[in-house]
Amino acid sequence: MYYFLSHLSFVDICFTSCVTPKFISDLLVKRKTISYGHCMLQVFAMHFFGMTEVLILTVMAFDRYVAICKPLHYIIIMNRTKCNFLVLAAWAGGAAHSFPQVSIAILLPFCGPNEIDHYFCDIFPLLKVACTDTYITGVLVLANSGVVTLVTFVVLFISYVVILFTLRNHSSEGRRKALSTCGSHITVIVIFFGPAIFSYLRPPTTFPEDKVFALFYTIIAPMFNPLIYTLRNTEMKIAMRKVWCQST
């Protein structure tokens, strides 16, 4: 579990670093601009690290499924070689998703004024300011981002339904430990996937609320992930309790 958490933490740092520094600097200046090259790089990086995070969360769900439903075979199934392969597949999946996205963005013609209603460069705001018919392009983006996000969420949902169904045969102590292990992961999935599905699984258009929902999966979720996973660690909770009692 901690092997996958280390990769998730690294992806979170990279993912939020694509947006947060520029977002903070824009808050401090009156005229908010971004170069074309930086914009295209942001499109690529956001989709690359975003999809990699989605796939790592899926791999972590599989890890929990094996740990709870097949505990006696866990060491054999989740050996080091398979863990390395799953992480490598997540990074490769992120690349396979992001290259078509940035290719679509690069091929868009812009005539000006090139002003997007967002705090970072994303494909839907760019489609809105492109000076060409973007219906087919929007459908391709929906198939690439929206459908992939929905399918991944459905897979995660089914995996946890199976896990909860399996827990019926466990003791009360076993159910408590399993739910404690899964609770943090489910929380992260809800915070990340809810806004992401709203943002990408819809016709290619933009809404004023997009910026608010984007905050959840670009800044808030990566920021809270360490806190969520830390609070489920027994040793960490004991240490925090000791520090809190001493300070009070």
Side-chain angles (χ1 to χ4, degrees):
M1 180 181 66
Y2 291 105
Y3 174 73
F4 295 125
L5 276 176
S6 64
H7 283 273
L8 180 67
S9 300
F10 177 74
V11 173
D12 278 336
I13 293 172
C14 296
F15 185 47
T16 191
S17 297
C18 299
V19 175
T20 307
K22 177 62 177 172
F23 178 55
I24 293 175
S25 64
D26 285 343
L27 293 176
L28 301 177
V29 297
K30 183 177 180 180
R31 183 176 175 83
K32 303 169 178 60
T33 60
I34 185 171
S35 67
Y36 177 81
H38 191 184
C39 182
M40 294 300 107
L41 179 62
Q42 201 172 57
V43 171
F44 172 79
M46 288 295 297
H47 285 275
F48 175 63
F49 292 115
M51 180 53 64
T52 302
E53 175 153 355
V54 166
L55 295 177
I56 289 180
L57 288 172
T58 306
V59 169
M60 292 174 68
F62 176 71
D63 176 67
R64 280 152 177 71
Y65 165 78
V66 176
I68 294 173
C69 299
K70 300 181 182 296
L72 299 180
H73 299 89
Y74 179 81
I75 297 178
I76 298 175
I77 297 175
M78 298 302 295
N79 55 64
R80 175 62 65 177
T81 301
K82 182 166 291 185
C83 290
N84 290 333
F85 173 78
L86 291 173
V87 170
L88 181 62
W91 285 98
H97 166 76
S98 58
F99 278 110
Q101 296 289 93
V102 73
S103 299
I104 290 173
I106 291 175
L107 293 174
L108 291 174
F110 301 102
C111 307
N114 300 323
E115 183 176 345
I116 62 173
D117 184 22
H118 218 304
Y119 63 89
F120 69 93
C121 284
D122 201 5
I123 194 70
F124 281 167
L126 291 176
L127 289 178
K128 187 176 181 180
V129 299
C131 52
T132 185
D133 184 13
T134 58
Y135 176 77
I136 300 299
T137 305
V139 173
L140 293 175
V141 173
L142 177 63
N144 190 8
S145 297
V147 174
V148 169
T149 304
L150 179 63
V151 170
T152 307
F153 180 77
V154 170
V155 170
L156 290 170
F157 178 79
I158 293 174
S159 66
Y160 276 107
V161 168
V162 174
I163 290 173
L164 293 175
F165 184 79
T166 305
L167 287 177
R168 298 186 310 166
N169 302 322
H170 287 60
S171 64
S172 58
E173 180 66 16
R175 286 196 297 268
R176 186 188 65 79
K177 289 182 178 180
L179 291 174
S180 174
T181 302
C182 296
S184 55
H185 193 237
I186 293 174
T187 303
V188 171
I189 289 173
V190 171
I191 294 176
F192 186 89
F193 274 88
I197 290 175
F198 173 84
S199 298
Y200 293 105
L201 192 64
R202 67 177 196 219
T205 184
T206 58
F207 298 105
E209 296 81 9
D210 287 347
K211 296 186 288 295
V212 177
F213 282 97
L215 283 172
F216 281 90
Y217 60 84
T218 58
I219 297 176
I220 295 177
M223 181 179 63
F224 276 98
N225 280 356
L227 181 63
I228 292 171
Y229 284 109
T230 297
L231 291 180
R232 68 156 301 278
N233 186 287
T234 303
E235 291 79 7
M236 183 61 69
K237 287 191 289 187
I238 293 174
M240 292 176 64
R241 194 177 295 114
K242 289 181 179 179
V243 172
W244 176 259
C245 292
Q246 291 177 356
S247 62
T248 55

